[in-house]
Amino acid sequence: MRIQSTLPPTAAPVPFQGLAAGCAALFGGADQLDRVTREMCDEFEVESAFLVSSGKAALAVVLQALHQLTGRRKVVIPAYTCYSVPSAVVKAGLEVVPCDVEPKTLDFNFDQLGQVVDGNTLCVLATHLFGAPADVDRIRSICRNRDTVLVEDAAQAMGGVTNGRALGTIGDVGFFSLGRGKNLSAGGGGIIVTRSREIGVAIKEEWDRLGQESFGGAVKNLAEMAATSVLINPGLYWLPAGLPFLGLGETRFYRDFPILKMGEARAATLKNWKGRLTSANAVRGEQARAYLEELRAYSPHVAAVSSPGAVYLRLPILVRDRAMKREILQRATALGLGMSQAYPGTIRQVPELEGALPPGDAPGSREVVDRLLTLPTHRFVTSAHRRAVCRLLEDVAVGGSATPVQQAVDRTVSSGRRAVSNPKCW
């Protein structure tokens, strides 16, 4: 374990006011869940909203409701996405059908999508990965021809807008995640939104059957949120990052997980959630724009996956090859720069799904695994951090020494903590 300034890959600390409201709700906050539900319906202009215990729980509830409506079983998902997605499909008792993605967009390979969607397909997941909008209209045209439901996975894109439409509300039904490090965090939790009355009624039936979070679970969640809000600061993040048993940054396939209604205490922590979300996404947008400007100098060795309307929970970039990615990750980790490989394999490479997937290939997704890195965009990232990231990318691209990067970090970060702790320093 090395004591040094260390950027987390993502960060969405819950403010003190939210934590205080959550604690107060432990002993009498019976209207918090209804309040947030109404606010979600108003803000996203949807017919119905439902709050549950996690983003993957939200997806599982949606899939169970859709299955009750249609009886279909196949769920088409990107072959490169978070492992929680197939976890939720399996939890709902349905079949995972991966579809390859295009490395330059991280969206579906539409030629393959047109082939895998058929009359037995329950739904297609349009995934706004890392906050970059998927081409929902193009996906909808394929779904419409097969009478298939379009589900928006906006777990990493809450607050994003494309062509004047809020991500998560363009499809038939969508969901957001409130997990640690998401656009808006409640330490965990998920939100389902839909404009469809029929789908809303079916989801309501599923939601009504869910159990409630226990008092002990609520207390544990608040304690974890408080600890996270302190330790997420770069001056302290080296501590949890250096403890392997915490599994920070790990991508896991969950064989089982609870599906519950969101508790009143967790809902109460969402005090002033609209302001928090807007502010955090504005910072991410500014960070991404600054990165994109600086990264232009390193083409063709590095290419950012940029998209209009993105909120960039993390900024995805594609480097030259697997060897370059490995070297950058090793050196970035040693320097505490918050860079991440995202997901370690394609959905077809998840061991728990071996033998359960239909035949097929995902060369585009494998290329993404080999080449993709993500850059931190949260409020703790400073101009010094961005310069160090870009110097590292340049240094590895031309095969030079790491010394200039180390010197830059030592001068502006390690010896000058003010540059780290000031989130407004661009």
Side-chain angles (χ1 to χ4, degrees), residues 76-80 97-117 124-127 134-135 138-139 142 146 361-368:
V76 177
I77 69 172
Y80 182 83
V97 180
C99 177
D100 202 11
V101 303
E102 293 286 354
K104 291 183 179 180
T105 64
L106 302 181
D107 203 353
F108 283 119
N109 176 315
F110 285 95
D111 289 338
Q112 189 176 114
L113 183 63
Q115 297 170 5
V116 300
V117 178
V124 175
L125 249 66
T127 302
D135 191 341
R138 192 172 179 184
I139 298 169
I142 295 174
R146 280 79 167 182
D361 195 10
S365 300
R366 292 200 308 274
E367 181 180 340
V368 172

Side-chain angles (χ1 to χ4, degrees), residues 323-361:
M324 183 177 178
K325 172 180 174 175
R326 182 170 56 248
E327 184 174 356
I328 290 170
L329 267 180
Q330 290 174 346
R331 286 158 63 165
T333 300
L335 296 171
L337 294 180
M339 298 172 71
S340 169
Q341 71 167 346
Y343 313 123
T346 73
I347 297 304
R348 291 192 172 277
Q349 295 171 315
V350 176
E352 291 86 350
L353 294 175
E354 186 176 358
L357 302 178
D361 195 10

Side-chain angles (χ1 to χ4, degrees), residues 40 44 154-160 176 178 183-184 191 273 277 281 311:
M40 293 290 171
F44 293 105
Q156 301 179 7
M158 189 176 185
F176 308 112
L178 301 174
N183 308 74
L184 173 72
I191 303 166
W273 66 268
L277 178 63
N281 281 344
V311 288

Side-chain angles (χ1 to χ4, degrees), residues 85-384:
V85 172
S87 299
V89 178
V90 172
K91 176 73 171 179
L94 302 174
E95 300 173 21
V96 178
V97 180
C99 177
D100 202 11
V101 303
E102 293 286 354
K104 291 183 179 180
T105 64
L106 302 181
D107 203 353
F108 283 119
N109 176 315
F110 285 95
D111 289 338
Q112 189 176 114
L113 183 63
Q115 297 170 5
V116 300
V117 178
D118 58 29
N120 294 316
T121 301
L122 172 65
C123 64
V124 175
L125 249 66
T127 302
H128 308 301
L129 197 62
F130 307 122
D135 191 341
V136 180
D137 291 331
R138 192 172 179 184
I139 298 169
R140 182 188 291 281
S141 67
I142 295 174
C143 290
R144 185 181 294 117
N145 292 336
R146 280 79 167 182
D147 196 26
T148 296
V149 178
L150 173 55
V151 178
E152 274 186 90
D153 177 354
Q156 301 179 7
M158 189 176 185
V161 177
T162 182
N163 297 323
R165 299 173 298 178
L167 301 182
T169 70
I170 307 169
D172 298 302
V173 57
F175 67 95
F176 308 112
S177 173
L178 301 174
R180 289 177 296 179
K182 292 299 193 295
N183 308 74
L184 173 72
S185 178
I191 303 166
I192 304 166
V193 293
T194 182
R195 290 194 170 106
S196 167
R197 184 175 297 274
E198 181 184 22
I199 292 175
V201 169
I203 293 173
K204 179 68 161 54
E205 292 178 357
E206 296 291 331
W207 188 83
D208 284 342
R209 288 194 285 265
L210 300 181
Q212 296 278 0
E213 184 179 43
S214 68
F215 181 84
V219 171
K220 179 183 177 183
N221 177 63
L222 288 168
E224 290 176 347
M225 274 193 280
T228 298
S229 295
V230 172
L231 295 175
I232 205 71
N233 189 292
L236 296 173
Y237 189 69
W238 58 268
L239 177 57
L243 300 175
F245 65 87
L246 291 179
L248 296 181
E250 287 185 0
T251 298
R252 296 167 49 197
F253 180 94
Y254 295 85
R255 293 184 179 274
D256 195 17
F257 54 86
I259 302 179
L260 302 167
K261 295 176 182 176
M262 181 180 289
E264 295 288 348
R266 192 188 299 268
T269 66
L270 293 171
K271 184 176 183 179
N272 189 32
W273 66 268
K274 287 183 281 187
R276 287 162 52 188
L277 178 63
T278 300
S279 175
N281 281 344
V283 170
R284 294 183 182 103
E286 288 296 323
Q287 298 280 23
R289 280 188 286 274
Y291 273 127
L292 291 171
E293 183 66 28
E294 295 169 7
L295 288 172
R296 287 176 184 157
Y298 309 127
S299 178
H301 304 290
V302 177
V305 183
S306 59
S307 177
V311 288
Y312 289 124
L313 186 67
R314 293 181 277 175
L315 179 65
I317 64 172
L318 296 172
V319 299
R320 186 175 55 233
D321 52 33
R322 178 184 285 269
M324 183 177 178
K325 172 180 174 175
R326 182 170 56 248
E327 184 174 356
I328 290 170
L329 267 180
Q330 290 174 346
R331 286 158 63 165
T333 300
L335 296 171
L337 294 180
M339 298 172 71
S340 169
Q341 71 167 346
Y343 313 123
T346 73
I347 297 304
R348 291 192 172 277
Q349 295 171 315
V350 176
E352 291 86 350
L353 294 175
E354 186 176 358
L357 302 178
D361 195 10
S365 300
R366 292 200 308 274
E367 181 180 340
V368 172
V369 172
D370 287 344
R371 298 177 57 201
L372 185 133
L373 290 168
T374 65
L375 311 183
T377 58
H378 50 78
R379 68 184 181 92
F380 294 113
V381 178
T382 69
S383 58

